[in-house]
Amino acid sequence: MSLYIVIGGFYGDEGKGKITSYLATTSSDGKLAVARAGVGTNAGHTVVHEGETYRLRSVPSGFMVSDSKMYIGAGVYINSQILLDEIEKTGLAGRLFIDHHTGVITKDHIEREKASKHLNEKIGSTCSGSGAAGVDRVLRKLKVAKDYEELAPYLTDVSAELNTLLDEGATVIVEGSQATFLSVYHGSYPFTTSKDVCASALLSDVGLGPSRVTEVVVVFKAFVTRVGEGHLKDELSFEEAKNRGWDEYGTVTGRPRRAAPFDFDLAKKACQLNGATQIALTKMDIVFPEMTGATNVDQITPEAREFLQQVEQRTGVQVKYLSTGPSSGEVIEL
Ligand code: GTP
Ligand code: MG
């Protein structure tokens, strides 16, 4: 039995989808389940597998492993249309399950967010309706998955199933969304998402307890990016980011992402907030181009080795995975 939690260490888009897809395809020779935790359809996770690119807002990033089961926890917000489209695109009908109590976003939630000057102009929200759905949840008037006929085929008790799978020796991966410093409690408030998204909250989202955890994998990109507003230490101009090859564009919004060099102090704080046991560093190929596509420890360049040693020294946590490209297999495991 192994329970992994995958969580972003900075401001999102670190490549949680990529690391989840790697763990899903390699860490289980038996039963596998991946459970989406975190906020909702405001996320955009990218999986590149066998030459195909999937941009997912709800479906967990382990769908391509045949016979695996995919879950969405009670603490997550779904949008029926987006979810049903993704189920079709990934061919997941029959092995994707939603908790009876998963919250459902409606057009009204999206419109309420779009009409909010505060969210649009000050916070830089994605306006996907997750926050407004959360408001209704707190007021106990949000409709949940069991209230919608079209979701009936997918309903289950996610917590019960995940606990049973762990009892039976399965590998379970809890996939977070957003990231540590977008947590409404521990992030750069008010420039955050609408929920806590640190490791403990992710467990609660899917109904698992802390005693079951094997590894807490905090994912950092080899540089820092941020969408929306809020402080970003040592932020580069867009031109400088482009010169370094660090320019990125949002999966959900298409907005250019702001960029800055790796922040060791922030990384240390993220490891504390999440109780990290392992670090994954993504986009190593962007910062160290000779490592593009590398899968072997012999291919780690001296500069890259120095960087990862510095990450370990400054955080006190082992760097376990180096991601060297977008594909699920492009990882050096240490
Ligand atoms: P959020 O929940 O929105 O934070 O998503 P995420 O953390 O899954 O990241 P997202 O998919 O939004 O962005 C990461 C981007 O980097 C995607 O386009 C990935 O395909 C890509 N990517 C991930 N790891 C690597 C890597 O090691 N090298 C390269 N070149 N691209 C990568
Ligand atoms: Mg993203």
Side-chain angles (χ1 to χ4, degrees), residues 12-17 44-46 178 251 257 283 285 323 325-326:
D13 308 316
E14 296 88 354
K16 293 175 288 294
H45 292 190
T46 312
Q178 280 67 38
T251 309
R257 292 176 181 159
K283 296 223 165 177
D285 54 306
S323 176

Side-chain angles (χ1 to χ4, degrees), residues 10-24:
F10 289 138
Y11 301 102
D13 308 316
E14 296 88 354
K16 293 175 288 294
K18 154 69 197 263
I19 295 300
T20 302
S21 70
Y22 172 76
L23 291 173

